[in-house]
Every structure is written in C-alpha cells, then in structure tokens.
C-alpha cells in the first residue's frame, strides 16, 4: 500500500499511488492540475511509486501525451519554477489512455493500464463536463475500478438545481461511498479562505462579538475583470448565481457564519457549514426585487482597454446574468437580523475578493465636539489578490482638545503577502490534490452542503421567474447595475469599493 501519514494522534490517512485524470487534455487539467502535481513532485510530496494517467477522448499515445503536458508546464508555470530533472521525473510518471465513455472496452483498457497498482489505491479526478460524471462512474464500476481502495474527485457544477444535483450525487454513490467522494470547490484550496477559520477560531479577539450583538452586516464581494472569453457556450444559461454564488460564495458565507466546530476534521467542519446553508432564508416573489439584483455587462472599458458587451460576445441577446447581488439572511440564533450582502460579477473595475465585517457602533458616545464622530469598527478581510486584513479603529487625534476630543479612524493593517514574504503561494489545486491523495475530505464539499446550497439558489431562480426579474445592464468596468447600490443603500449601508 502507499504511504501512511499520521494526522494529530488519531486519524490515519492513506496516500494513494495512482491518479487518473479524466479530461486530461482539457483546459483545467493543463492550466492547473498538471502544474500543481508538478509542484508537489518538486517539493518531494509525490512518492516514487506515484503514477498519473490521463484519460480523454483524443487518440494519443503516452509519448504524445507527455509532450502535451510538457508544453502545458512550460506555459503555465512561472519562469524559474521548472527544473529539468524534476520535469523529466514528473513526465516519466505519466501515461495516457483513450477513454470514450460510450465504449466499455476503453475502461477495460484503463483497468489494464493501472494494473496491480490498483491495490495501492487509485484516485480518479473528473475534470470533465458534469454530464460525464455518471457514465464515468458506471464505466469504472463495470471494470472493478471502484471499491475500497478508490476515491473520486469532481469539479463543479454538481447539477444545475436541487433535483439534478441529487441525481448526480446518487449516480456517484453507485460507485463510491460519501467518504470516498471529493467535490472540489477550488476556493477552499486558497490559503486566505482556509485562514478564515484560523482568524475566527485561532484568536480570542473576534468570536465574542461575532454575532448579531456585535455585527451590523457582512459583505462578501468576488469581483472579476475577466469577461467570458471563449466560455460563452458553457456560461450562457448558467449565469453568476449558479456559477459563483451556489459554490464559492456560499462556501465563504458558511465559513464566516458557522458555529465553532469541535475540531478541524472533515465531519466537524462540514456539519457546521451545512447548518449555515440550511439556515439561509429562501427568496420569494415578494423579496426577489428588494433582495437581489441581476445584471449583464454592456461594452465598456476594463483596465483602460475597450471590451465588448456580453451579448456581442455571445452573438445574440440573452438574459443570463454576469453580475448578481443578493441580500441574504440566516434564520438562526446567532445571525438574527444581520444581512449578508453577496456580490459577484464579471467585467468589474478590479479583480478582488474580500469580506467586510461591519461591527455595530458603541452603544453611547462619551465624545462630543469637534470633527467627525465615532465610526463603527470594520474588519476587511482581503482574500485576493492582495492578501491581508485591516481593522478600522477609532483613535484620538493629537492635540490639546480645547474644542472637545478630536477623533480619527485609523487602520490596523496586516499584509499577509508581506508577513509571509518569500514563501511561495501554492496553487489552490496543490493542496486539494494532496488532500485527495491522502484521503482528507475537510476541504471538499459534502453532498448535503451541495444540496442545501442548491435549495437556496433554486429559491432565487424561482423568485426571479415569478416576479419577472430581468437582467439590468451595466457598463463593463463599473460596479454593476445601480440597483445593486440601491439595494444596500436602502439599509443605510454602502458597498466597500476600496482599491487594493
Ligand atoms: C470558477 C468560475 O469556478 O471560478 C469562473 O466558473 C470564475 O467563472 C472562477 O472566473 C474564479 O476563480 P478565481 O480563483 O480566479 O477567483
């Protein structure tokens, strides 16, 4: 069997020796998965026995596949990160098998290629369109490639609504038990996202105030400058709500809002996250317009360059949203009455993901007199690209205070980029692939989380349909439709739009 690693004093993880990547010739595999596996190899984290097989429909032999991966490493790893010896060793681990899901013999061929190494554990990574998840699992099962020494990882989306996500989960369950299923949300592989748990549960400072007594509202923004560039055929009809909110943004919300888990283990963490997702108050026709806004970019300029509108890129009119803002509520004891404003969009003015925690004001101000009054504290957690956090606090301006104490807001600003300068930031997939090989599901999404997230997202889609909500245009390079500002400003707040 592969190597065994001890985590804490009680959990033994089994490191698998074979990885099979379905969709190996696709964009994600070439851009992220192979460069990540290379980096793990370079750091000595892949045992000598580890073999990596690509599987896809293209007819390639091992040598042609290795050439393709070599080219992918050249173009997707930063200069200076490629070492000729490691590269040769890495390419040597690779093999390829043509697999068409409709051809049972192809799975036989894959089984033969893996051979006796199956006993040392095989992890299948499905980097394929979701329509292939069920047939791939069925194909693997038919040739005995499921069972105790196997695992399966899969990319989002898991379905496109609650019923279809249940179908996918059920089809996968025919071949794999839940603890063998690794549903990838690459945001959970990001350092700063994992750091949310450390910030909250590794410091005494915040948790006593982390509730409706201390917090006025929370904002979660994931802003992108990219447009659809070649992805329109996937994206049209999907939209931001399903593409970003159902997964990444709700995972962020769950990490911000969850109760403290008893330990940093898969069951404890995911039990708490799913409770949050199940507390999301559904939207309905009455709240569709007051609690959500959907938008679509028109032509404009991003980073000083003119860019086309979504419909121009698509070549026809569409009501798919490329921007969404939602005011969410969690109906539970801790978060009663605290709005969570979520906002994400393409072709916004800058790429940044951040979480803003707006604390409540002090109950009574003892200061009166000159200058601005007391501002409530605010914690800004910057997830990317400029990782860090800043906490605004009130201070006294130096002076003799003849006209009353002058107050000034200053920032306690921590740059994680600076604090950990010199430490390479890993690709999110490095962490996730290593966890997959070692069998740790903590940073993967459980079936019940997926289903709870779809339940809420479905309520929004249904609310949009019944209230006849249509996409509002916004100019590329702006912060989305003005209705999104209106939504939060009606509550007396405003979106944080600081430059990073
Ligand atoms: C993907 C979405 O899951 O996440 C994309 O499908 C989006 O539309 C991407 O661009 C954003 O990821 P990141 O890591 O660049 O923030």
């Amino acid at each position: 069997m592969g190597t065994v690693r001890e985590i804490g004093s009680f959990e033994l993880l089994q490191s698998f020796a074979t990885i099979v990547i379905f969709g190996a010739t696709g964009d994600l595999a070439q851009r992220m998965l192979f460069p990540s596996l290379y980096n793990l190899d370079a750091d000595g984290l892949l045992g000598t026995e580890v073999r990596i097989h690509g599987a896809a429909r293209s007819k390639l032999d091992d040598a042609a596949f290795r050439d393709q991966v070599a080219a992918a490493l050249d173009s997707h790893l930063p200069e200076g990160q490629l070492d000729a010896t490691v590269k040769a060793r890495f390419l040597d681990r690779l093999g390829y098998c043509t697999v068409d899901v409709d051809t049972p013999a192809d799975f036989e061929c894959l089984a033969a290629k893996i051979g006796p190494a199956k006993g040392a554990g095989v992890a299948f990574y499905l980097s394929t369109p979701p329509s292939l998840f069920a047939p791939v699992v069925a194909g693997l099962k038919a040739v005995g490639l499921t069972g105790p020494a196997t695992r399966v990882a899969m990319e989002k989306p898991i379905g496109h609504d609650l019923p279809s996500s249940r179908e996918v989960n059920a089809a996968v369950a025919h071949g794999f038990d839940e603890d063998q299923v690794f549903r990838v949300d690459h945001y959970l592989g990001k350092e700063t996202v994992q750091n949310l748990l450390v910030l909250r549960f590794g410091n005494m400072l915040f948790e006593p105030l982390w509730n409706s007594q201390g917090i006025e509202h929370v904002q979660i923004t994931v802003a992108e400058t990219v447009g659809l560039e070649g992805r329109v055929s996937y994206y049209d009809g999907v939209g931001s709500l399903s593409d970003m909110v159902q997964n990444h943004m709700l995972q962020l919300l769950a990490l911000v809002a969850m109760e403290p888990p008893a330990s940093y283990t898969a069951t404890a963490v995911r039990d708490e996250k799913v409770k949050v997702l199940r507390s999301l108050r559904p939207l309905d026709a009455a709240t569709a317009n007051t609690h959500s806004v959907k938008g679509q970019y028109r032509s404009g300029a991003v980073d000083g360059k003119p860019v086309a509108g979504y419909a121009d890129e698509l070549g026809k009119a569409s009501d798919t949203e490329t921007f969404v803002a939602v005011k969410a509520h969690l109906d539970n004891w801790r978060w009663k009455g605290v709005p969570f404003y979520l906002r994400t969009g393409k072709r916004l003015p800058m790429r940044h993901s951040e979480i803003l925690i707006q604390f409540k004001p002090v109950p009574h101000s003892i200061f009166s007199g000159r200058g601005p009054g007391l501002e409530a504290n605010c914690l800004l957690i910057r997830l990317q690209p400029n990782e860090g956090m800043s906490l605004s606090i009130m201070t006294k301006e130096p002076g003799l205070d003849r006209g009353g104490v002058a107050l000034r807001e200053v920032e306690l600003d921590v740059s994680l980029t600076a604090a950990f300068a010199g430490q390479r930031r890993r690709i999110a997939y490095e962490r996730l692939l290593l966890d997959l090989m070692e069998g740790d599901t903590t940073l993967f999404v459980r079936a019940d989380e997926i289903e709870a997230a779809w339940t809420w997202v479905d309520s929004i889609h249904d609310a949009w349909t019944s209230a006849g909500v249509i996409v509002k245009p916004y100019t590329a390079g702006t912060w989305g439709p003005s209705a999104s500002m209106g939504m939060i400003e009606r509550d007396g707040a405003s979106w944080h739009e600081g430059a990073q």
Side-chain angles (χ1 to χ4, degrees):
M1 294 291 267
T3 50
V4 173
R5 190 165 71 108
E6 195 165 334
I7 296 286
S9 54
F10 51 89
E11 207 172 345
L12 286 179
L13 301 178
Q14 177 68 54
S15 193
F16 279 15
T18 302
I19 306 171
V20 178
I21 299 189
F22 281 88
T25 56
D27 183 59
L28 179 81
Q30 305 272 313
R31 238 174 355 99
M32 296 288 176
L33 302 181
F34 291 114
S36 297
L37 287 165
Y38 168 88
N39 283 340
L40 294 177
D41 197 353
D43 286 348
L45 294 167
L46 295 188
T48 45
E49 75 286 7
V50 170
R51 291 285 166 272
I52 302 166
H53 299 287
R57 272 206 318 214
S58 315
K59 301 223 176 310
L60 297 175
D61 59 14
D62 288 352
F65 178 62
R66 285 180 187 156
D67 287 348
Q68 198 182 83
V69 174
L73 299 180
D74 292 342
S75 41
H76 299 298
L77 281 169
E79 244 181 68
Q81 211 166 300
L82 262 181
D83 173 276
T85 315
V86 179
K87 186 175 169 190
R89 180 177 76 206
F90 179 73
L91 294 175
D92 218 36
R93 298 175 185 275
L94 302 182
Y96 182 81
C97 202
T98 301
V99 178
D100 181 331
V101 291
D102 297 325
T103 311
D106 286 354
F107 285 94
E108 298 284 0
C109 186
L110 179 64
K113 188 119 191 164
I114 296 169
K118 187 195 162 209
V122 190
F124 299 98
Y125 195 111
L126 312 190
S127 173
T128 65
S131 56
L132 297 185
F133 295 166
V136 168
V137 170
L140 294 174
K141 189 169 181 192
V143 298
L145 283 176
T146 54
T150 60
R151 294 175 188 140
V152 68
M154 64 194 98
E155 280 290 331
K156 74 167 191 47
I158 309 292
H160 52 85
D161 59 8
L162 178 63
S164 56
S165 70
R166 283 194 170 140
E167 275 169 31
V168 174
N169 285 335
V172 172
H174 281 307
F176 299 90
D177 292 340
E178 182 60 30
D179 62 359
Q180 298 172 289
V181 181
F182 293 66
R183 294 179 196 80
V184 175
D185 184 313
H186 78 278
Y187 268 53
L188 295 180
K190 294 182 191 262
E191 288 286 359
T192 44
V193 173
Q194 293 158 32
N195 198 35
L196 290 170
L197 290 183
V198 181
L199 177 75
R200 288 194 56 200
F201 305 125
N203 296 293
M204 188 57 202
L205 212 53
F206 300 112
E207 200 52 26
L209 285 177
W210 209 262
N211 51 46
S212 61
Q213 309 288 311
I215 292 178
E216 186 82 42
H217 75 259
V218 175
Q219 296 179 21
I220 304 179
T221 295
V222 176
E224 298 185 279
T225 52
V226 290
L228 267 305
E229 291 126 2
R231 287 177 82 220
V232 270
S233 57
Y234 150 74
Y235 194 87
D236 195 53
V238 174
S240 307
L241 184 63
S242 297
D243 183 50
M244 294 294 285
V245 177
Q246 189 273 341
N247 36 73
H248 311 320
M249 299 204 59
L250 286 186
Q251 285 295 321
L252 295 177
L253 180 141
L255 294 173
V256 169
M258 69 200 268
E259 297 299 318
S263 60
Y264 190 47
T265 50
T267 303
V269 170
R270 301 190 303 175
D271 280 353
E272 295 307 334
K273 281 196 296 167
V274 78
K275 285 188 213 161
V276 172
L277 298 171
R278 287 186 183 140
S279 314
L280 281 161
R281 185 188 304 165
L283 264 62
D284 57 24
T287 50
N289 278 302
T290 51
H291 287 55
S292 72
V293 172
K294 55 176 179 165
Q296 188 188 86
Y297 62 84
R298 300 286 182 261
S299 59
V302 175
D303 292 334
K305 295 194 193 81
V307 294
Y310 177 82
D312 309 319
E313 285 177 81
L314 184 65
K316 59 176 183 179
S318 159
D319 65 355
T320 297
E321 80 283 359
T322 58
F323 174 97
V324 65
V326 187
K327 173 174 157 182
H329 279 103
L330 294 171
D331 284 329
N332 63 25
W333 193 304
R334 183 189 281 251
W335 295 112
K336 180 79 190 159
V338 179
F340 284 72
Y341 300 101
L342 314 180
R343 171 178 68 155
T344 183
K346 309 256 180 221
R347 291 288 191 224
L348 299 186
M350 62 177 70
R351 174 175 186 256
H352 81 186
S353 302
E354 61 176 37
I355 298 172
L356 179 135
I357 311 291
Q358 179 63 61
F359 290 96
K360 291 207 156 143
V362 294
H364 164 72
S365 173
I366 63 168
F367 306 104
S368 60
R370 297 192 292 132
L374 282 176
E375 295 286 339
N377 302 123
C378 176
L379 174 66
L380 183 68
I381 305 165
R382 300 187 300 263
L383 303 176
Q384 63 184 24
N386 177 15
E387 306 170 356
M389 60 192 85
S390 67
L391 177 65
S392 70
I393 55 165
M394 294 311 295
T395 53
K396 176 186 174 308
E397 243 186 55
L400 297 175
D401 301 334
R402 293 305 88 190
V405 180
L407 304 166
R408 170 103 64 91
E409 195 176 39
V410 296
E411 304 289 327
L412 289 179
D413 198 351
V414 179
S415 160
L416 294 177
T417 318
F420 298 103
Q423 289 194 23
R424 180 167 71 76
R425 289 301 186 278
R426 295 186 173 278
I427 306 171
Y429 284 96
E430 291 180 44
R431 170 66 192 253
L432 298 177
L433 283 160
L434 194 60
D435 284 356
L436 165 66
M437 284 188 283
E438 296 189 339
D440 184 349
T441 49
T442 310
L443 297 177
F444 294 84
V445 188
R446 214 167 52 187
D448 52 1
E449 290 179 78
I450 298 275
E451 294 179 12
W454 275 123
T455 302
W456 187 67
V457 164
D458 285 356
S459 83
I460 302 177
H461 279 132
D462 292 347
W464 285 350
T465 307
S466 22
V469 177
I470 48 163
V471 285
K472 297 186 165 58
Y474 63 98
T475 304
T478 66
W479 284 105
S482 55
S484 143
M485 289 82 180
M487 182 184 87
I488 187 167
E489 283 166 11
R490 277 196 298 277
D491 295 344
S494 55
W495 292 111
H496 179 258
E497 280 168 16
Q500 295 209 28

